[in-house]
Amino acid sequence: MTPRSLLFLCVANSARSQMAEGLARSMAPSLAIQSAGSRPSRVNPYAIEALAEIGIDISAQTSKSVETLDPAGIDLVITLCAEEVCPLFLGGAEKRHWPIPDPASDDPTLSPGDLRTRFRTARDEIRGRLSRLFEEVGLPMQACPGGDRRSG
């Protein structure tokens, strides 16, 4: 099935799901793409920076609650939680799980450089998975800024 709409879910809707939303919009502009979380907070500045490095601006994106979404309008849901409990999405959409470690951390031993590295790693992992997904479902892609569509 070729999806027409895609939802990325994680807990805070601040890092992984926000980066996935921005990357997917850049790579597959024909899709309706959203992200949400079970406990939305704010878009992490490191997520904004990691995508800006490859030419994608997500600075206007906001964290949203999964409870505000209409399940009827979503074909595919991708959860991005690894170590935490992912939000549930009740609806008939196809569901996939990509366990990507949360790049955000309150660990005081991590420097800003360490955090940037963690966010870049998550960004590149998501970009690679999106490329593989879009190829699998036969969705035409645009080259992703900052690298060809197969990178990651």
Side-chain angles (χ1 to χ4, degrees):
M1 152 190 111
T2 301
R4 292 164 305 180
S5 59
L6 182 53
L7 171 65
F8 296 100
L9 286 179
C10 64
V11 175
N13 188 221
S14 65
R16 293 163 292 185
S17 56
Q18 290 288 342
M19 290 192 295
E21 178 182 351
L23 285 162
R25 283 184 179 178
S26 173
M27 296 167 72
S30 65
L31 283 180
I33 298 168
Q34 302 177 77
S35 67
S38 53
R39 291 192 308 267
S41 60
R42 64 180 177 85
V43 180
N44 190 299
Y46 287 105
I48 294 169
E49 182 180 325
L51 286 187
E53 289 176 350
I54 62 167
I56 299 172
D57 181 6
I58 63 167
S59 62
Q61 290 181 193
T62 59
S63 294
K64 300 157 290 291
S65 172
V66 67
E67 295 174 8
T68 65
L69 303 177
D70 177 10
I74 298 167
D75 296 328
L76 176 59
V77 176
I78 298 174
T79 52
L80 299 156
C81 308
E83 60 281 344
E84 66 277 72
V85 176
C86 282
L88 292 176
F89 185 77
L90 303 176
E94 178 185 348
K95 294 171 183 72
R96 296 190 183 203
H97 180 64
W98 295 350
I100 296 174
D102 190 353
S105 176
D106 293 331
D107 182 345
T109 65
L110 293 175
S111 71
D114 295 333
L115 289 167
R116 284 183 182 93
T117 297
R118 291 166 58 105
F119 274 82
R120 289 174 185 135
T121 299
R123 173 199 66 203
D124 294 344
E125 175 67 21
I126 293 165
R127 181 170 45 184
R129 287 179 184 244
L130 283 170
S131 291
R132 291 187 292 279
L133 169 68
F134 294 156
E135 287 178 9
E136 173 190 322
V137 300
L139 190 70
M141 288 183 286
Q142 292 188 5
C144 187
D148 74 23
R149 61 183 172 180
R150 297 180 196 277
S151 67

